[in-house]
Every structure is written in C-alpha cells, then in structure tokens.
Amino acid sequence: MAISIIGAGVGRTGTYSLRLAINQLGYGPCHHMEEVLKNMDVQVPLWSETLKGNTNWSAIYKGFKSAVDWPTAGFFRELLKEYPIAKFILTERNPENWADSFGSTIYKLIEGRDKAPDKMRDWLKMANEVIIKTGFPQGLDREGLIDGFNAHNKAVREVIPAEQLLVFQVKDGWEPLCKFLNVAVPNDPFPRTNNREEFWELVNAGN
C-alpha cells in the first residue's frame, strides 16, 4: 500500500485536525507523530536510519494510506521522489501565532530532552534531528522561528508541483480539502483538536 496524501506542514499548524479529517474522508489510517510515540520501538529506529540516508519508506508507512506532521514534513523532497504522484498538503497558519505555539510546546519539549525519561530519549533525539533538518535548530528566538517557518513553507511551494499541492489552513474547513481530493463534503463539522494542553497530554501519555 503506497501512501497517496502527504502533509508537508510542520507541527502546530493543525496537523492533528487534518489527520482526523483525512481519516474521516476515507484516506486513513493517517500517519502522525503520535503513531511514532505509540510505537517507538519500531518507528524511532526507522526514522533514525532515514536521517542517515537509509530509507525504508514502505516499512515506516506500513499499514498507512496517508501521512501528516513531523517526521513526514521534514522529508517532503525525498517523499516527492518516492511517491511522485501523491497529493501534498501544506498546512499553514499565522507565523507569529505558530511561533508562540511551537515555542511553548514542541520546541520546549525538545529543549528539555536530556531530562526526559530514558525510554523517551531516543524518540526525542530523532525528533530533534528532524526538526533541525526542517530548519529549526535549538536556540532560535521568536523571530528566528518565524523566519524558519516562512522558509520551510516557501520551499514546499517551490518544490512540490502546483497541481499536486494544496496550501491549507484548517480554519477554512472541509471545502478546499474536499475539492482537492475530489470527494464530497461531510455534514459533520471539520475536526478541531490538539490545542497546547492536549499536546502535553499526548506527550505525557507516552511516558
């Protein structure tokens, strides 16, 4: 099973809500960092090898039809080569709001990785390397985060062919997503979830 939808948007841009929406539209299961956290013994070594250039995409995405969020978003160039006809979704939001959200969740978690429980350290090490690869080394201030965010989104727009790319904000709801995927708009409200409090609940569930 090859994945057909790939999220190129970084964490804290509505990727968890997008994952729920993709699942609801029948393109799941959708891979997300939560899947890595739930299955660290298998997923972390695979992603760690990928960072070294030893990729095994079929093993990483075994059983999945789609993928969003990190680590996936850090490899959009490689994934375009591996899945040249896949559809890509770039989730965006206001850069200042994103920097505040990312800085108080993922960036803060990565910064404190040396104090994390032993079983989470390999996961955090891998996640840190993916985030660095995406353009966010440790030590950036708010402006540095904003610049990195804008640079990543610009790169995605330049690399992914326009006909294969949807630039999407979750606040826009079902219509642009369903049009891009050529499916009917559900009657249910578009899923909205994973605020900052829910982020820490997900992380702590992996401890």
Side-chain angles (χ1 to χ4, degrees):
M1 179 194 306
I3 57 172
S4 59
I5 300 171
I6 297 170
V10 299
R12 311 311 301 164
T13 59
T15 54
Y16 201 91
S17 297
L18 177 61
R19 173 201 186 194
L20 295 177
I22 287 172
N23 284 338
Q24 188 171 337
L25 292 174
Y27 291 96
C30 182
H31 189 280
H32 180 280
M33 182 64 93
E34 185 184 17
E35 300 295 339
V36 181
L37 186 57
K38 286 180 175 178
N39 196 14
M40 287 189 284
D41 290 347
V42 173
Q43 286 278 316
V44 170
L46 287 168
W47 283 108
S48 297
E49 284 300 307
T50 299
L51 283 158
K52 299 174 186 175
N54 304 318
T55 58
N56 188 343
W57 297 119
S58 61
I60 285 174
Y61 295 128
K62 183 178 180 181
F64 294 95
K65 294 182 181 178
S66 53
V68 300
D69 196 53
W70 273 311
T72 294
F75 295 88
F76 66 91
R77 294 177 180 87
E78 296 90 336
L79 289 166
L80 178 61
K81 292 179 182 178
E82 183 71 16
Y83 303 104
I85 62 171
K87 294 189 174 185
F88 286 75
I89 301 172
L90 174 62
T91 39
E92 290 191 332
R93 65 185 291 193
N94 174 278
E96 289 80 11
N97 293 344
W98 174 84
D100 292 338
S101 178
F102 175 72
S104 64
T105 54
I106 298 171
Y107 211 45
K108 184 177 180 180
L109 176 66
I110 294 295
E111 186 180 21
R113 64 191 180 281
D114 292 340
K115 299 175 183 176
D118 287 346
K119 73 173 188 174
M120 297 188 74
R121 289 192 181 181
D122 286 345
W123 170 63
L124 288 169
K125 178 178 183 292
M126 178 276 293
N128 181 50
E129 291 176 6
V130 170
I131 288 167
I132 290 171
K133 170 180 166 59
T134 315
F136 306 100
Q138 282 294 310
L140 294 178
D141 60 12
R142 186 172 185 261
E143 288 305 311
L145 292 177
I146 291 169
D147 288 345
F149 181 71
N150 289 331
H152 171 79
N153 292 346
K154 181 174 182 285
V156 172
R157 291 170 183 261
E158 290 174 348
V159 169
I160 307 300
E163 65 273 13
Q164 289 175 246
L165 178 65
L166 171 67
V167 179
F168 179 66
Q169 295 195 31
V170 294
K171 68 180 183 180
D172 294 335
W174 286 115
E175 283 75 11
L177 178 63
C178 293
K179 182 179 179 182
F180 181 63
L181 299 177
N182 196 28
V183 295
V185 174
N187 293 322
D188 298 333
F190 191 89
R192 302 287 170 84
T193 187
N194 200 15
N195 59 31
R196 297 182 200 185
E197 291 75 22
E198 289 171 314
F199 169 85
W200 289 111
E201 289 172 7
L202 283 173
V203 171
N204 291 329
N207 287 340

